[in-house]
Amino acid sequence: MTDELFRDDATLAECAATITTADERGVQLDRTVFYPQGGGQAGDRGVLRLEDGSELAIADTRKGSEPGQILHLPAPGQEALLQRLQPGQHVTARIDTARRRRHMRFHTATHLLCALVPHPVDGCSITADYARLDFHMSEPLDKEALTAGIARLVAEAHPVGHRWISEAELDANPQLVRSMSVQPPRGQGRVRVLEIDGVDRQPCGGTHVSNTVEVGGVVVTKIEKKSAMTRRVVLGFSSS
Ligand SMILES: [Zn+2]
């Protein structure tokens, strides 16, 4: 099982780690700063730097078939380097921080959107170029009003933090779960709850900025009626 350093500190750009397995399915480490695709958020890219200075480019990060497995997926064309990797080798795992930063800004913005739209979420996708959130609702939504609402919550500079609660505590507070499509990961006895002071509180394992002011310029680029009971809100950056 990989130690998921990004869960407690999303600002970590790199870490020292030891290879536990390496084959064509991907590279597993004893610990990592790479976020595996999940909860709607895209997986990280980056490099694994070996002790001899050579670098294995990582194109994506995914969860493995076993609970707790994190697979670092090599970019194509690196078979020779991949074959040299052995369990026990030390590497420095470093993510593409500019890309991750965009995920963190968008991801935090989707929580602000949840606070502005009091309806269940039934779909979510967070990439480096856009984010979208599907709400289970039939009422129309106003693009300008939502963009202004996000800008207000960003300007108010709310601290963003998280805490761990027990699964029993979550079961006692079912109103915490806003999403119909993504259930909090279970089986580890504890669930991570994301808290934006006075704004939003829900189970979430993703990566976020530490204050809403760091979300910066995010606007609603599109609102789509996907079905009678689904309104899709698409977010984009207005500034880097
Ligand atoms: Zn989140």
Side-chain angles (χ1 to χ4, degrees):
M1 188 144 144
T2 309
D3 190 7
E4 304 175 339
L5 303 181
F6 52 87
R7 300 268 188 225
D8 279 315
D9 187 356
T11 67
L12 290 174
E14 64 175 44
C15 69
T18 303
I19 294 174
T20 54
T21 66
D23 55 39
E24 63 285 350
R25 291 177 305 131
V27 179
Q28 290 190 68
L29 304 173
D30 63 336
R31 59 212 295 267
T32 191
V33 292
F34 281 69
Y35 180 82
Q37 177 182 300
Q41 184 178 326
D44 278 320
R45 293 179 190 156
V47 294
L48 303 184
R49 192 165 60 241
L50 280 63
E51 283 181 314
D52 68 3
S54 53
E55 290 187 343
L56 183 77
I58 301 301
D60 199 359
T61 312
R62 296 292 175 95
K63 290 176 184 162
S65 50
E66 305 283 320
Q69 276 187 340
I70 294 180
L71 295 170
H72 303 77
L73 308 184
Q78 302 182 102
E79 291 72 16
L81 183 52
L82 187 59
Q83 280 172 7
R84 282 173 39 207
L85 300 185
Q86 299 290 337
Q89 278 180 327
H90 300 293
V91 297
T92 301
R94 182 174 183 81
I95 58 166
D96 176 341
T97 50
R99 183 169 173 275
R100 159 69 88 71
R101 186 86 195 148
R102 293 167 77 89
H103 295 167
M104 287 161 63
R105 289 175 61 198
F106 269 148
H107 192 133
T108 309
T110 64
H111 285 274
L112 302 184
L113 206 51
C114 277
L116 296 168
V117 182
H119 293 277
V121 172
D122 66 3
C124 172
S125 179
I126 294 154
T127 75
D129 300 314
Y130 69 88
R132 60 174 169 75
L133 212 50
D134 293 340
F135 290 99
H136 186 72
M137 62 187 291
S138 56
E139 301 86 339
L141 287 168
D142 185 276
K143 199 165 116 176
E144 275 67 41
L146 287 181
T147 291
I150 292 170
R152 174 178 58 82
L153 293 170
V154 169
E156 285 172 358
H158 298 273
V160 180
H162 69 267
R163 64 193 180 96
W164 295 92
I165 64 171
S166 67
E167 290 181 356
E169 197 176 343
L170 180 67
D171 291 336
N173 295 278
Q175 77 283 359
L176 273 179
V177 180
R178 285 288 307 274
S179 176
M180 303 157 68
S181 60
V182 180
Q183 283 302 310
R186 288 186 173 257
Q188 295 175 10
R190 59 178 198 162
V191 173
R192 187 171 179 270
V193 175
L194 194 278
E195 294 183 304
I196 303 180
D197 253 17
V199 178
D200 188 44
R201 192 156 73 104
Q202 58 178 300
C204 183
T207 61
H208 313 81
V209 295
S210 56
N211 187 293
T212 61
V213 78
E214 298 172 47
V215 169
V218 167
V219 295
V220 175
T221 56
K222 206 187 323 183
I223 292 174
E224 293 175 84
K225 181 178 176 180
K226 295 301 286 180
S227 74
M229 281 307 291
T230 305
R231 296 293 175 278
R232 170 168 293 178
V233 181
V234 185
L235 300 175
F237 290 121
S238 65
S239 65
S240 55

